[in-house]
Amino acid sequence: TSLQCLIVTDHDPSTLERARNNHETTLEELLDSHHCANEDDEFTTINNIGSIPTHFEQLDWNHGQYDVKYVQELIMEHSVPAQTKADTVLGSDLIYHASVVEPLFQTAVLLLMGGGVNDKKTNTTTASRGRFLLSQSFAYDGETELEIERCCHELGLTRTVLWEDQGGKNRIL
């Protein structure tokens, strides 16, 4: 499947504004660049990237259900066939204390489920079809590691370390 929409979220409005500016600058640089083999390739590349609906929205994990419903409405507006679940939730350096793990993971599961329900026969939800990917540039303390494991267990998530540098300082989960 192709990317149907991109929704960038953060709790901090200034971070969202920087993300929007970076996105716009990248599109402008693509328009000004001549990296493609010919003009037709350049036009196709710019048109494909520029035609992806992109939204920058505030999302508070601690008040997740209200904010998540709005994000789900955006997903539904831009997905064919219409759906309210995200295919992928991607985050970087989001966990700075053990106390943010549970609201973050609950929010991610809500986005991945899109209002789906748990199937008692197979013990799966619609969230099992999506991916929640995290990267980090620092090692978690022991308390945070335990909280991540607890939340994964309680929410039915599988934690897999895809890449880790020596010492566990940088990781993609």
Side-chain angles (χ1 to χ4, degrees):
T1 62
S2 63
L3 181 64
Q4 295 184 24
C5 77
L6 175 64
I7 303 171
V8 178
T9 66
D10 200 286
H11 179 69
D12 179 22
S14 63
T15 300
L16 286 172
E17 187 60 31
R18 280 192 307 275
R20 182 189 318 275
N21 290 341
N22 287 340
H23 176 72
E24 291 170 358
T25 300
T26 300
L27 289 177
E28 289 170 5
E29 287 177 5
L30 282 172
L31 283 169
D32 294 339
S33 72
H34 299 286
H35 296 292
C36 296
N38 59 53
E39 205 171 296
D40 288 336
D41 288 345
E42 184 176 349
F43 176 77
T44 300
T45 299
I46 293 167
N47 192 37
N48 287 341
I49 294 171
S51 66
I52 298 168
T54 305
H55 299 272
F56 299 84
E57 303 296 335
Q58 194 166 356
L59 181 62
D60 183 350
W61 304 335
N62 291 311
H63 300 92
Q65 293 228 325
Y66 173 77
D67 289 349
V68 166
K69 287 199 181 301
Y70 180 69
V71 172
Q72 288 171 332
E73 289 171 11
L74 289 173
I75 294 168
M76 181 172 251
E77 180 182 330
H78 297 292
S79 59
V80 178
Q83 63 182 22
T84 57
K85 71 178 197 69
D87 295 321
T88 303
V89 174
L90 175 64
S92 178
D93 290 334
L94 299 177
I95 300 173
Y96 47 88
H97 188 270
S99 65
V100 303
V101 174
E102 187 169 5
L104 168 63
F105 281 40
Q106 287 174 343
T107 300
V109 168
L110 285 171
L111 288 169
L112 292 169
M113 288 177 61
V117 294
N118 192 15
D119 181 341
K120 301 283 186 201
K121 293 178 189 172
T122 62
N123 196 28
T124 61
T125 63
T126 53
S128 63
R129 295 190 189 121
R131 297 288 182 259
F132 177 31
L133 303 172
L134 291 174
S135 69
Q136 70 182 60
S137 61
F138 51 90
Y140 296 137
D141 61 24
E143 179 186 4
T144 301
E145 288 285 351
L146 290 172
E147 183 64 3
I148 290 170
E149 291 299 327
R150 184 190 70 76
C151 287
C152 285
H153 178 74
E154 284 187 10
L155 297 170
L157 300 172
T158 301
R159 183 180 186 196
T160 305
V161 176
L162 301 175
W163 176 82
E164 180 174 28
D165 72 356
Q166 293 178 341
K169 192 172 171 192
N170 295 296
R171 222 186 238 179
I172 298 176
L173 305 172

